[in-house]
Structures are given as structure tokens and as C-alpha cells.
Amino acid sequence: MRTRKVTIKDIATEAGVSIALVSFVMNSKADGKDPHRVNKETAQRILAVASKLNYQPNNAARTLRSGKTHTIGVIVSDISNKFFADIARCIEDRAYKHKYTVLFGSSDENPGKLENLIEVFRNKGIDGLIVVPCEGADAAICRVAQENLPIVLLDRQVANTNLSSVVLDNRRAGAEITKALIRRGFTRIEMISYSMKLSNIGEREEGYRIGMAEAGLGGNVRIHQLRHDKLRKIDEIIRDARQRGVEAFVFATNTLALSGLTAIFRNGWRVPEDVAMACFDSNETFDIYKTAVAYVRQPIERFGTEALDLLIKSIEQQDETTTSTRIVLTPEIVESAPPATRPEAKEAIWE
Amino acid sequence: MRTRKVTIKDIATEAGVSIALVSFVMNSKADGKDPHRVNKETAQRILAVASKLNYQPNNAARTLRSGKTHTIGVIVSDISNKFFADIARCIEDRAYKHKYTVLFGSSDENPGKLENLIEVFRNKGIDGLIVVPCEGADAAICRVAQENLPIVLLDRQVANTNLSSVVLDNRRAGAEITKALIRRGFTRIEMISYSMKLSNIGEREEGYRIGMAEAGLGGNVRIHQLRHDKLRKIDEIIRDARQRGVEAFVFATNTLALSGLTAIFRNGWRVPEDVAMACFDSNETFDIYKTAVAYVRQPIERFGTEALDLLIKSIEQQDETTTSTRIVLTPEIVESAPPATRPEAKEAIWE
DNA sequence: ATGAAAGCGCTAACAC
DNA sequence: GTGTTAGCGCTTTCAT
């Protein structure tokens, strides 16, 4: 049978003090505050007994008493998507250092699911939320914020709000990846994107337009918008584009690029000999076969750490002044054959 | 400000009964037991008030009182590995239906990390554990079991124990995937595996040996064992093998196959024209480029559901009789060009 | 500098 | 059938 758990009461008895003092010592230790209130020797003794008995605070009791769960919820589009999986792991690692536990969920770009997940998480009890908004979930997200639950948006923003968020400078990324293609000599460049109304997607499209326009190729601009649940349509888009003499594609997301590559293959074309492509983030397939002429490298780790730090700050601040912070991360363009270009620009931080 | 949480006390007041009765009704409702102890009308009234007030039980209080956290821990090798990520999601989904919360962690094949994760999870409070054992973690795992924390092993077993587990019939998988290659006309087939002492890897190697031997190719058997943190060595292994006229490789894991493919490419060979390969599970790259001649499809979903069900059963059983169950899943061989072979054999379940 | 005591919300043994 | 009550382990005033 499992030996009974050690409680502060046991420590109090063993050290010959009251449980209140034990509690106080355990907590001041962590915070490093109130360093003089307790007799140094008594504190030492208590700490010694605690570690001798291998004391582990009971989370449920602490939560019940304090109302703080030390747990946060993270809702992404799809946790099995590498971009989000990697971010999730960063968040998890960093949360661990702050002694927070993380609950994960996937919305699958479905506002109903997202709303349900928020509900589930709130019932389980969370101190804050990091969420990748999906189309149609704006209302649900704003409601959370209104109820004063700390929240940080990731990867995408919600229009007409000033919630804290961590996003990429997608406009710039779109423009630069387009220019990379242009530098390689392509002029007939089209974009394949989603029909979803998402801030990041929209900005990437805008960036593509800017990149083309600045090179005097505004006339060639063409953006194909697919429904994310009808990816097979990409087949005919690509076939048609090829017939019209399109030389290169900019894919708005990695998933889209993978579907595009599959479609290109089904049509018997080779990459990059017959059709060139550029996309957002790389993946194993692209790495091995040197598929993409260039891609946007998103600073995955910073997405995670910045979002978590923002959230923790928001959770642990005492005062009610809701300062929202927007962090805009800088993209990096990686080109395949010529040595990579690494823009060292600093990021814009709006507070 | 957030409105105060509604508690059973509020319901009791509103319904004009005691909090004990409210508690009792809330719990019997779920279990469906003791259906006659409470007056039907009273129960109805309580339930009505509860839903009117949108009552949500306080988890911390429940946990503090009952000692049950309704949380389980899942430790895999690497949650960013698709095989484990997919299983994790199945476990999560199914756990949700049982009203359990899941905590995830990755050992990175490091016994120290695994042990630490077990410790962390135990401190957070979990009712049970699903773990993919890694080399050198046997002692730590057995200790958990000895302390009566319900545990289920996944994907791999621990030698000389009879802990509950859900694994693939790896010997059979190894033999059949080898035979698939032989049917395609290859005879000079070698295996690339890990040097780690893992039950699943060992059995796959054994299967390969059996497959070769049964085809009278025992003389060609050769297994290359790599350290999982020295994957670059695969380059020279493959180069050397090619020089010796090897026609095909069986890769012991998907990761290994991906490294192998990269190495083959670096050497300028084509797949499957120059070198053929077979592996465990597919992936995007293999799917798109039709790389593997054949692969073993593991029943991902069943790994997850069986493991979770086993664990829940073990957690919720009252009696102390520790019956351990071993579930052996049947592999499916998927061949690329000829229509797939789908063995319909039933699984062996040892209780 | 330290202790006493009041609960946080819930469950379960027992009383009526 | 329903109510009373004693905590689960901890934090946090308020005394001393």
C-alpha cells in the first residue's frame, strides 16, 4: 500500500511549530519576500524537516484555498500539425519552469469546437488561456476576455479588439517570400491560399500583392482561395495555372504546400524543374527533396515563450489595469540554392 | 468581475434541501446506482436548480476530499513524433469521454527524464500512468507499479514483469514486411535498426531473421544497429551496403527510414529504382513520392483506446486483485504497387 | 516571531 | 428519504 502523504501538519509536529508557520515558510521561500519575518533558525529547521520527509504540497488543497489552479489552457487549430505541435512543446517546457501545468486542445478550425473547449477548460479550472483563433470564434473569445480570464492570442488576431497577441509580421513575410521568387527570375507567380477569413492569411496575401507590385508585376497577381476542407480542388487549380504558363506558386501555409506538391506530382510535373514553389515553414519532405525554392522560417520558439510569458504576466499581476501587449515577430527567409538571406531586423513591439 | 461560482450550497438553499442531498443526487446521477434512495421529485427539483444555476462542481474540492484527481499521465518517447502524437490524441479523446484529464510528457529515450516525469506527474497527482518504456527505465517503472499506482505499458514491454501492456505483434510484423520485399524479387535485404535494447525493436529484428530464414535467405541476414543519437552514421552504412550489392533495406522504425532516405539521396541514389525500402508506418514524404515498397501499418487508434481502457479499468476497480492484461495488436502490411494485402487475423489477448 | 482558527467546496458515515 | 457533521490540506487574517 502507498504510504500516507506527508502534510504540513507532519512537518509542524516534527519541527515543533504550528502548521501556519510551516505554510508561511514554504511560501516565503518560493517568493523570496518577507525574508525577515521568521526566525532564521526556525525557518532552516522547518525546511530541513520538509526535505527530510520529502514533503510535497497538496495541489488540490492549495487550489481549493487559493482559487488559483496553476494550470493554463492552450487551444490550437490542430495539435498534430507540426507548427502547432512545436509551439505547444515550447509552451509546455516554459510553463513547467513557472510551475504551471498545461492543458491542450484542438479546434480543428471549428468555432463550435473551440467554444466547447473553452467551456471544458473553464470547468476544469484554468488561470489563463492561449488560443489560436479560428474563423467565427471572435465572439466566444471576446466573451472570455470580458469575463476577465487572462487570454493571449497566438498566430492570428481578432479584428477590432486589443487583446494581447503574438503574431508573425505576415505582410512582410508574404512580400519577402514573393521577392525571393522574383529574384530567382520568376515573373508568373500566383498564390494559393485559403478562403478562410484569418488575419495571418489575409496579411500574407497582402504581402504577396505588395511584393509583386513593387517588382512591377502587379498585372500577374492572382490568388486562389481554397476551402480548407476541400483541398482536392487544388488539383485543377494547378493544372489550369500550368496551362496558363504559371511558373511558380506561393503557398499561404505549409499544409497547402504539401497538398500542392502532391497535386503537382499527380500531374506528373517535377519540382522545381517544371514548377517552382515557395511556402511558409519547411518540413521533412521539402528538406529531403529540396523542393521549395525559398520558405519563410517562423520563429517557433519565440511564439511559444512570448505567448506564455505574456499570459503569466497577465495572470500574476495584481492590479486590474488590463494592459494588452502585441508582439510582432520577424520572419526569416531561407533560400535553397544560394546562401540563405538572414534579415537581422529587430521586431516591433507595441505596448 | 467574474460572478461568484455556484456551489452545492447555493443549490441546496434554492431547492430547500441539505447540501448532502445535493451531493448525493449529483453523484448518483452519474453512476446510475442507488436509483431508489432519493425521492424522485426531490431529485428532479435538485437537478433542475443545478442546471438553472449552471452548476459546475469544483474539481479541487472533489479531489481534496476523494483523493482521486481524475487525471492520468501519459509518457511517450517524443510527442512530436507522429506515431506518438496520433496515439496521444486518441488517448486524449477517449479520456475525455471518461471525464479524465490527460497530462503528457516526452522522455526523449532518456531514463533520467522519464523518471523525473514520473516524479512530476505523481506530485501533480495522477490516478494512473500510461508509459512507453525506454532503455534503462525498467527499475523506475517497476517502482511505480510496486507503489500500486495503476500503470499500462505502451508500444514496448519491460522484461521479466507482467505489467499490463498494449503492443504490436512485432515479430510477425518484421517477418511479414521482410517477406513482402522477398515477394518483390529482392534477396539481398538488410535491416537497419537501433542499438537500443527495446522489446519492440528486438522483436522486429527477430521477425526479419525469421522471414529471411523461411525463404532460405538466412545467409544474407545482416542487421545494422545505430545509436539513436548518431543517425548520421547511417550514411556510411548505406554506402557500404550498396557497394556490397544490397538491393533493399528494412528499417526498424519510421524515423530510421526517413534518415535512411535522406542518406540514400545524399549519395545520389533513387528510390526504389536503385535501392528499395520497407518500413514501419508511412509518412507524408513516403506517401507523396511512393517511396516504400511496403510498410507495416500499426493500428494507431487501438493502441490508444486499448491502453486507456485498460488503465481506467485498473483505476476504477475496487478490489485489490492486480490482474494484468497484455494486448497484442495485429500489424497490417501495405504494399505500394500491387493491391494491398490485408491479413484479417484476430488478435491474441492474454489475460 | 509564532500560533489559533476560520474556512475553501465537497463527500461519506452516521443519525434521524 | 433527508439532514448533520467531520474533515480532506492548505492559506490567511488576527491575536499574542
Side-chain angles (χ1 to χ4, degrees), chain A residues 2-3 44 74 76 85-86 90 96 109 161 170 178 210 217 234 251 261 284 286 288 307-308 333 337 350:
Chain A
R2 211 140 115 218
T3 48
Q44 289 300 319
V74 174
V76 298
D86 288 346
C90 289
Y96 175 68
E109 304 293 0
T161 65
N170 283 293
T178 304
I210 293 170
L217 296 171
I234 207 170
F251 290 97
L261 180 62
E284 285 166 347
F286 293 180
I288 294 178
L308 189 87
I333 304 295
W350 308 91

Side-chain angles (χ1 to χ4, degrees), chain B residues 8 23 55 58 62 65:
Chain B
I8 50 171
S23 172
Y55 167 71
N58 180 316
R62 205 201 280 268
R65 187 58 235 242

Side-chain angles (χ1 to χ4, degrees), chain B residues 89-109:
Chain B
R89 207 167 165 187
C90 289
I91 292 177
E92 162 91 62
D93 288 349
R94 200 163 183 87
Y96 176 67
K97 287 183 191 128
H98 288 271
K99 297 195 174 298
Y100 272 75
T101 299
V102 188
L103 262 23
F104 292 104
S106 302
S107 72
D108 292 322
E109 305 292 2

Side-chain angles (χ1 to χ4, degrees), chain B residues 238-301:
Chain B
I238 286 180
R239 214 175 312 127
D240 170 67
R242 281 292 293 154
Q243 277 170 0
R244 287 184 290 102
V246 170
E247 307 155 335
F249 293 102
V250 175
F251 290 97
T253 73
N254 197 271
T255 306
L256 229 26
L258 224 26
S259 302
L261 180 62
T262 309
I264 289 170
F265 257 69
R266 272 198 293 262
N267 282 296
W269 292 309
R270 283 164 314 147
V271 175
E273 294 84 350
D274 299 325
V275 204
M277 57 189 286
C279 58
F280 281 72
D281 293 318
S282 191
N283 61 42
E284 284 166 348
T285 304
F286 294 178
D287 287 346
I288 294 178
Y289 291 92
K290 306 273 187 287
T291 305
V293 165
Y295 67 91
V296 174
R297 173 144 58 203
Q298 301 192 69
I300 302 278
E301 197 177 323

Side-chain angles (χ1 to χ4, degrees), chain B residues 25-44:
Chain B
V25 169
M26 298 317 274
N27 291 305
S28 15
K29 176 68 196 201
D31 302 14
K33 70 188 177 192
D34 282 300
H36 306 305
R37 229 188 97 179
V38 186
N39 181 305
K40 197 120 189 223
E41 286 166 25
T42 319
Q44 289 300 319

Side-chain angles (χ1 to χ4, degrees), chain B residues 324-335:
Chain B
S324 77
T325 307
R326 162 165 309 173
I327 297 185
V328 179
L329 270 17
T330 303
E332 178 187 348
I333 304 294
V334 181
E335 304 195 35

Side-chain angles (χ1 to χ4, degrees), chain B residues 109-112 114 133-138 156 195-198 228:
Chain B
E109 305 292 2
N110 176 339
L114 197 153
C134 71
E135 193 181 30
D138 296 10
R156 310 165 186 171
S195 58
M196 282 184 288
K197 195 187 65 57
L198 257 27
H228 80 284

Side-chain angles (χ1 to χ4, degrees), chain A residues 77-90:
Chain A
S77 308
D78 176 13
I79 194 74
S80 69
N81 177 136
K82 191 152 174 46
F83 175 66
F84 294 118
D86 288 346
I87 290 181
R89 207 167 164 189
C90 289

